[in-house]
């Protein structure tokens, strides 16, 4: 596996683990709120072939909250 693929897979696993931790009893939700966005922002570009050819993340349906700013 390529190093970029390893980084991507590892970051996705950490995000998944954080999501599971957030749902656990007694989890520190402040930790989740602080680490989650930073971890998501550190997600590297997906490895080649991960997304279908011609995929455009700006295309597609509108989701609730899209365009929301704090």
């Amino acid at each position: 596996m390529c190093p970029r693929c390893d980084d991507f897979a590892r970051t996705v696993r950490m995000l998944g683990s954080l999501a599971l931790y957030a749902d656990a009893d007694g989890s520190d939700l402040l930790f989740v709120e602080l680490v989650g966005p930073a971890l998501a922002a550190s997600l590297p570009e997906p490895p080649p072939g991960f997304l279908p050819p011609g995929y455009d993340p700006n295309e597609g349906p509108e989701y609730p909250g899209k365009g929301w700013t704090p």
Side-chain angles (χ1 to χ4, degrees):
M1 193 178 246
C2 67
R4 199 165 88 185
C5 300
D6 288 343
D7 290 345
F8 184 81
R10 184 175 28 258
T11 306
V12 169
R13 280 193 308 271
M14 286 191 290
L15 283 166
S17 294
L18 186 64
L20 290 173
Y21 171 73
D23 285 338
D25 288 336
S27 61
D28 182 348
L29 295 180
L30 179 58
F31 172 80
V32 173
E33 287 181 31
L34 294 173
V35 171
L39 190 56
S42 75
L43 190 65
E45 288 290 320
F50 184 80
L51 299 173
Y55 174 78
D56 182 359
N58 297 315
E59 298 284 322
E62 293 289 322
Y63 292 99
K66 186 174 182 182
W68 179 82
T69 55

